[in-house]
Amino acid sequence: MWVIVKTAGILCIMVASAVTGAELERRVKRRWLLLREMYETLLFLEKEMTYHRSPVREAFDYASKRCATELSGVLAQTAERIGQRTGEPFAQMWEESLAAQLPQGLFAREELELFRETSVALCGTDVVMQKTLLEKYADRFRTMSEREAEVCREKGGLYRKLTLAAGAFLVILLF
């Protein structure tokens, strides 16, 4: 009976360690995917809004259908609020959509501020200035995405391996 209890305990510790490592790896990958998708979305919106002259609401609807991360919800919610014509400033609608849709604690304060700042580029009336701002923010997100991709490559598997090693250490220590 005692052997069964010990085996169950060891199994629980190792499974918890594996799940923790997988979650840490998933979190790093999720950050990278969201940053990359924001970069790609800004490039798409640049073409839609400056070359095709699509209204912001339509451009956001198109872009939200192309997204696979939480950014889809941000764009869809913002497009819906634009369609309601409540008279709210665009920056406020964008910030509230970001707060509602982006996962809490996934990004640092500076990174969230960059997401908020993009509202300036997304609602410009001057086509040339809007194109310039969209390119600027797309470039900043590209840089952040490349940096996060490197972190994902370096630390993704490392998190999983280290948590398994920590689980094995805990098993040895306790049993």
Side-chain angles (χ1 to χ4, degrees), residues 44-60 62 121-132 134:
F44 175 78
L45 288 173
E46 176 192 350
K47 289 174 183 61
E48 279 296 310
M49 297 166 88
T50 58
Y51 298 123
H52 298 285
R53 299 294 297 150
S54 298
V56 176
R57 182 175 184 213
E58 284 181 28
F60 276 30
Y62 294 147
L122 295 171
C123 67
T125 54
D126 179 25
V127 177
V128 175
M129 185 59 137
Q130 185 176 31
K131 179 178 176 7
T132 304
L134 283 169

Side-chain angles (χ1 to χ4, degrees), residues 146-163:
E146 288 171 353
R147 196 170 350 139
E148 198 62 34
E150 187 65 31
V151 168
C152 190
R153 277 190 294 276
E154 289 176 3
K155 295 183 180 176
L158 184 63
Y159 285 149
R160 197 175 52 245
K161 292 171 189 166
L162 284 176
T163 55

Side-chain angles (χ1 to χ4, degrees), residues 57-148:
R57 182 175 184 213
E58 284 181 28
F60 276 30
D61 276 334
Y62 294 147
S64 72
K65 291 178 176 97
R66 298 180 74 238
C67 294
T69 64
E70 291 85 355
L71 192 56
S72 174
V74 172
L75 294 168
Q77 183 176 344
T78 305
E80 181 181 322
R81 293 195 56 198
I82 290 170
Q84 293 172 353
R85 299 182 188 267
T86 59
E88 290 177 89
F90 177 81
Q92 180 182 347
M93 289 186 274
W94 179 250
E95 285 183 30
E96 289 173 2
S97 296
L98 286 171
Q101 299 292 328
L102 288 183
Q104 296 296 320
L106 188 63
F107 294 105
R109 194 178 81 226
E110 297 83 22
E111 294 166 335
L112 285 174
E113 190 60 36
L114 181 60
F115 274 98
R116 286 187 198 103
E117 287 175 14
T118 56
S119 67
V120 174
L122 295 171
C123 67
T125 54
D126 179 25
V127 177
V128 175
M129 185 59 137
Q130 185 176 31
K131 179 178 176 7
T132 304
L133 287 172
L134 283 169
E135 288 173 350
K136 171 188 160 190
Y137 284 106
D139 189 49
R140 289 177 71 185
F141 276 103
R142 180 188 51 78
T143 303
M144 287 173 56
S145 171
E146 288 171 353
R147 196 170 350 139
E148 198 62 34

